[in-house]
Amino acid sequence: MDEVKTIIVNRSAYADNDEEADLLRDYLKEKGTFLVNLMSSPGAGKTTTLTKLINALKSEFRIGVMEADIDSDVDAISIAKNTGVKSIQIHTSGMCHLDAGMTKTGLDGIDISDLDLVFLENVGNLVCPAEFDTGASLDIMILSVPEGDDKPLKYPLVFEKCDLVIINKIDTLPYFNFNLENCKEWILKRNKNATIIPISAVTGEGIEEIANYFRNKIKNWKEK
């Protein structure tokens, strides 16, 4: 009996995307455009938070937004209407995430030649978006109070990847069984280097703290 040929495959399934993401980061650094990947569940308040944050920063930075959704353009329209910044919609045709190649296509579409800061609002999902490097220089996520304080235990990867975790809708804390201190502890257990900022996108509480976080991050990025 002939010997069976054995092929050893030890290359990560994400390796090609990771390489493309690194190339995209180098390209963006050369262009002087800081890319932020924003993740969350649907309804956590990504667009509302972005609107408040952009309005706090747009006098200092030229900002663009890429809204990624399976369908519709309501978020891109909302951002453009309520902030006045450049905004485009990316349709994923059923895919639950963006990868580096899709992000590059979006960046080409929005034209970064006159942008200092670009936000990618990823598809609403706590699983798939965390698995793919988009080429961003900063990964952040929003967890909202109504979702529950146990999400860092149930969806570890997204918390492990994020530099900043925003806990939104703290104005609803009296109405939900959400232990803020436990949640912070569980986030830091997943990622000891994560910055955690509680906010209310509706009332504006905490928005200036996030704005200052971005100012410092972009300043340090430019100096490297």
Side-chain angles (χ1 to χ4, degrees), residues 15-222:
D16 289 340
N17 182 71
D18 291 345
E19 289 177 5
E20 192 168 359
D22 287 337
L23 290 172
L24 181 55
R25 258 185 294 275
D26 291 341
Y27 168 77
L28 290 169
K29 182 68 183 227
E30 182 181 321
K31 296 294 183 181
T33 302
F34 189 81
L35 175 63
V36 179
N37 177 33
L38 172 59
M39 297 174 282
S40 83
S41 297
K46 291 192 298 296
T47 306
T48 305
T49 301
L50 264 185
T51 298
K52 290 286 178 68
L53 180 59
I54 289 168
N55 284 330
L57 293 172
K58 66 183 182 182
S59 64
E60 304 162 57
F61 304 100
R62 299 171 297 173
I63 300 173
V65 179
M66 300 187 296
E67 291 284 350
D69 284 296
I70 292 173
D71 205 347
S72 93
D73 56 3
V74 293
D75 288 343
I77 292 171
S78 174
I79 287 288
K81 177 182 177 181
N82 294 306
T83 67
V85 303
K86 190 187 297 187
S87 175
I88 65 167
Q89 188 74 48
I90 301 173
H91 284 167
T92 65
S93 300
M95 295 186 69
C96 59
H97 67 276
L98 261 67
D99 59 21
M102 297 161 72
T103 302
K104 178 62 165 61
T105 299
L107 290 167
D108 291 341
I110 199 172
D111 182 12
I112 63 170
S113 61
D114 60 349
L115 297 177
D116 308 307
L117 171 60
V118 174
F119 290 99
L120 166 60
E121 185 176 328
N122 217 315
V123 181
N125 189 321
L126 287 184
V127 181
C128 304
E131 296 177 344
F132 291 86
D133 190 341
T134 61
S137 293
L138 189 69
D139 290 298
I140 68 176
M141 75 156 295
I142 298 175
L143 170 67
S144 66
V145 167
E147 294 174 74
D149 55 20
D150 58 357
K151 291 300 176 287
L153 303 178
K154 294 181 176 181
Y155 300 93
L157 183 60
V158 67
F159 292 93
E160 291 167 3
K161 282 197 63 174
C162 284
D163 306 283
L164 169 65
V165 178
I166 297 168
I167 301 178
N168 189 25
K169 305 186 182 181
I170 58 171
D171 51 303
T172 68
L173 279 171
Y175 310 105
F176 290 92
N177 184 22
F178 187 102
N179 189 309
L180 186 58
E181 294 311 311
N182 282 352
C183 187
K184 289 179 180 179
E185 180 182 344
W186 291 330
I187 291 169
L188 294 174
K189 187 173 292 187
R190 296 299 187 190
N191 180 358
K192 65 180 181 180
N193 296 316
T195 298
I196 304 169
I197 302 179
I199 73 160
S200 168
V202 171
T203 67
E205 182 180 355
I207 295 296
E208 188 58 27
E209 186 176 353
I210 301 174
N212 285 332
Y213 175 90
F214 273 93
R215 292 180 182 108
N216 291 330
K217 281 290 182 182
I218 294 171
K219 180 176 182 290
N220 293 336
W221 177 77
K222 287 181 176 180

